[in-house]
Amino acid sequence: MKKIGVLTSGGDAPGMNAAVRAVVRAGCENGLKVVGIKRGYNGLMYGDFYEMNLRSVSNIINRGGTILYSARSPEFKTEEGMQKAIDVCKSEGIDGVVVIGGDGSFRGARDLSLRGIPCVGIPGTIDNDIACCDYTIGYDTAMNTVMEMVDRLRDTTESHDRCSVVEVMGRRAGYIALNAGIACGATTILIPEVEFDFERDVIDRMRRTQQTGKRHFIIIVAEGIGGVSEMAKKIEEVTGIESRATILGHVQRGGCPTVRDRVVGSLMGCKAVELLKQGIGNRVVAMRKDEIVDFDIFEALNMSKSIDLELYRLAHEISI
Ligand code: ADP
Ligand code: F6P
């Protein structure tokens, strides 16, 4: 292995730059040439990349987003698109690729590995929804952003004796909602993994806390459940408490990465290079019980993980 590429794909996540930096620095220090591929698989299909050196990644560890840009690339999923990417790798001498992204991006990495281009995936997504990993790059920063935003909402919610119904990201998973919900002291947290009953889990809980003197309420709703505007209207109708809906949206994907995202991103980048240097591909780097490990991509994509239901129960026990 003489030359490797690195790309970021799917939704960006704070800490991706730390991973790119580590791949470039570890690659160069281990005698590899490293090219930065722009806009995910699009850059691979159309040869949009540039050679990187130790200084190409200066001053990026503190920056959100991704200096390599990111994209969703439907063309890459077609047989022709995949062939274009393979042809580019062969003609440009790219012997292996580090793919930083989510499950979808890993499927692409698996297909490329199958066709003779060894790839290593690094989990980069704010959603923390990759089965083989306890932790994905960007998750901590996103949760801290949610916490900061909801703290602000709490100020105005309290001043007006209102209820704030807040939608947070997570695609089909409730990890951000559950953990940020605890950190924000939400009265109720609604996540796709747990069935809820509006009367019991929202209205009755609000009434119980009202009886003990509470006058403002924060309801955190995962985007996999959605419908926050309707929910706020319904709460106001049923309880008479003025309610407002807020969808936090893409602010959750930006901003300066936290210590954890910088450190985990850095460690994962180094691990990916270590694997590729030995010619090992079709692997996903993962964090399990605070250790950096790696899995076969096929296995990783077939794994499942579940949310901590005890944490969910405790969150509600102490938010009353
Ligand atoms: P994420 O990586 O965050 O899950 P996406 O699901 O949008 O994001 O996937 C990112 C890109 O990975 C897609 O635009 C596509 O180019 C590639 N990809 C996704 N699914 C597949 C698949 N089944 N086979 C090959 N490539 C895929
Ligand atoms: O996967 C990250 C994520 O931000 C999800 O939380 C969200 O569902 C999705 O991406 C939004 O995607 P887009 O940026 O394409 O709107």
Side-chain angles (χ1 to χ4, degrees), residues 105-237:
S105 305
F106 292 169
R107 288 196 176 88
R110 173 203 59 196
D111 293 353
L112 275 176
S113 297
L114 269 179
R115 289 164 170 82
I117 311 293
C119 293
V120 176
I122 293 182
T125 164
I126 63 165
D127 303 331
N128 198 32
D129 61 349
I130 298 183
C132 69
C133 309
D134 295 344
Y135 187 80
T136 59
I137 298 168
Y139 176 48
D140 189 55
T141 307
M143 285 192 297
N144 276 287
T145 303
V146 171
M147 185 181 72
E148 203 180 296
M149 295 297 137
V150 176
D151 283 351
R152 286 165 194 251
L153 278 174
R154 179 186 282 277
D155 291 343
T156 169
T157 304
E158 184 178 14
S159 303
H160 288 265
D161 292 332
R162 280 178 176 165
C163 172
S164 260
V165 186
V166 188
E167 182 187 302
V168 303
M169 275 186 169
R171 214 185 305 222
R172 285 176 293 277
Y175 296 98
I176 296 178
L178 175 54
N179 286 280
I182 292 172
C184 297
T187 304
T188 284
I189 303 165
L190 303 179
I191 57 175
E193 293 87 345
V194 180
E195 225 179 290
F196 77 98
D197 177 90
F198 179 72
E199 272 303 313
R200 182 193 63 206
D201 299 316
V202 180
I203 303 298
D204 289 355
R205 283 186 66 79
M206 285 176 68
R207 289 211 169 107
R208 261 188 74 196
T209 59
Q210 212 177 16
Q211 280 156 14
T212 59
K214 197 168 173 68
R215 295 170 67 94
H216 69 281
F217 308 87
I218 307 281
I219 315 287
I220 297 285
V221 182
E223 73 168 322
I225 288 186
V228 286
S229 299
E230 298 72 32
M231 206 177 287
K233 269 194 207 119
K234 224 166 148 192
I235 290 171
E236 191 163 314
E237 267 167 34

Side-chain angles (χ1 to χ4, degrees), residues 9-11 41 71-74 76-77 82 101-108 110-111 124-125 171:
S9 167
Y41 290 118
R72 305 202 202 265
S73 169
F76 178 73
K77 284 167 109 172
M82 180 72 57
D103 268 346
S105 305
F106 292 169
R107 288 196 176 88
R110 173 203 59 196
D111 293 353
T125 164
R171 214 185 305 222

Side-chain angles (χ1 to χ4, degrees), residues 1-300:
M1 183 102 18
K2 291 198 173 84
K3 185 170 171 182
I4 62 169
V6 54
L7 60 84
T8 48
S9 167
D12 65 344
M16 279 184 164
N17 280 330
V20 170
R21 172 177 175 272
V23 170
V24 173
R25 295 257 167 97
C28 292
E29 285 297 276
N30 280 281
L32 298 171
K33 279 197 171 161
V34 186
V35 294
I37 300 160
K38 289 190 185 169
R39 298 184 175 79
Y41 290 118
N42 281 338
L44 199 57
M45 288 185 298
Y46 291 99
D48 189 8
F49 49 76
Y50 60 106
E51 190 163 334
M52 300 180 93
N53 60 37
L54 295 173
R55 294 278 69 76
S56 318
V57 287
S58 296
N59 291 324
I60 67 164
I61 197 158
N62 54 319
R63 284 166 58 189
T66 157
I67 61 156
L68 294 177
Y69 306 94
S70 192
R72 305 202 202 265
S73 169
E75 188 187 351
F76 178 73
K77 284 167 109 172
T78 65
E79 202 43 54
E80 300 75 47
M82 180 72 57
Q83 196 50 52
K84 273 186 196 167
I86 290 166
D87 292 346
V88 167
C89 286
K90 298 245 158 92
S91 65
E92 299 289 336
I94 298 176
D95 305 313
V97 182
V98 178
V99 173
I100 308 170
D103 268 346
S105 305
F106 292 169
R107 288 196 176 88
R110 173 203 59 196
D111 293 353
L112 275 176
S113 297
L114 269 179
R115 289 164 170 82
I117 311 293
C119 293
V120 176
I122 293 182
T125 164
I126 63 165
D127 303 331
N128 198 32
D129 61 349
I130 298 183
C132 69
C133 309
D134 295 344
Y135 187 80
T136 59
I137 298 168
Y139 176 48
D140 189 55
T141 307
M143 285 192 297
N144 276 287
T145 303
V146 171
M147 185 181 72
E148 203 180 296
M149 295 297 137
V150 176
D151 283 351
R152 286 165 194 251
L153 278 174
R154 179 186 282 277
D155 291 343
T156 169
T157 304
E158 184 178 14
S159 303
H160 288 265
D161 292 332
R162 280 178 176 165
C163 172
S164 260
V165 186
V166 188
E167 182 187 302
V168 303
M169 275 186 169
R171 214 185 305 222
R172 285 176 293 277
Y175 296 98
I176 296 178
L178 175 54
N179 286 280
I182 292 172
C184 297
T187 304
T188 284
I189 303 165
L190 303 179
I191 57 175
E193 293 87 345
V194 180
E195 225 179 290
F196 77 98
D197 177 90
F198 179 72
E199 272 303 313
R200 182 193 63 206
D201 299 316
V202 180
I203 303 298
D204 289 355
R205 283 186 66 79
M206 285 176 68
R207 289 211 169 107
R208 261 188 74 196
T209 59
Q210 212 177 16
Q211 280 156 14
T212 59
K214 197 168 173 68
R215 295 170 67 94
H216 69 281
F217 308 87
I218 307 281
I219 315 287
I220 297 285
V221 182
E223 73 168 322
I225 288 186
V228 286
S229 299
E230 298 72 32
M231 206 177 287
K233 269 194 207 119
K234 224 166 148 192
I235 290 171
E236 191 163 314
E237 267 167 34
V238 177
T239 63
I241 297 163
E242 244 193 322
S243 299
R244 294 287 185 272
T246 304
I247 297 175
L248 289 183
H250 287 80
V251 291
Q252 293 162 97
R253 286 237 298 260
C256 162
T258 59
V259 170
R260 186 156 168 80
D261 282 325
R262 296 182 198 197
V263 173
V264 175
S266 300
L267 296 177
M268 288 185 168
C270 291
K271 180 73 174 180
V273 171
E274 188 189 311
L275 290 166
L276 278 184
K277 200 178 168 238
Q278 299 171 67
I280 302 172
N282 198 37
R283 306 294 291 177
V284 176
V285 174
M287 173 159 263
R288 301 276 278 206
K289 298 191 177 22
D290 279 338
E291 267 185 51
I292 305 290
V293 294
D294 58 288
F295 291 99
D296 177 271
I297 298 188
F298 292 94
E299 262 177 49

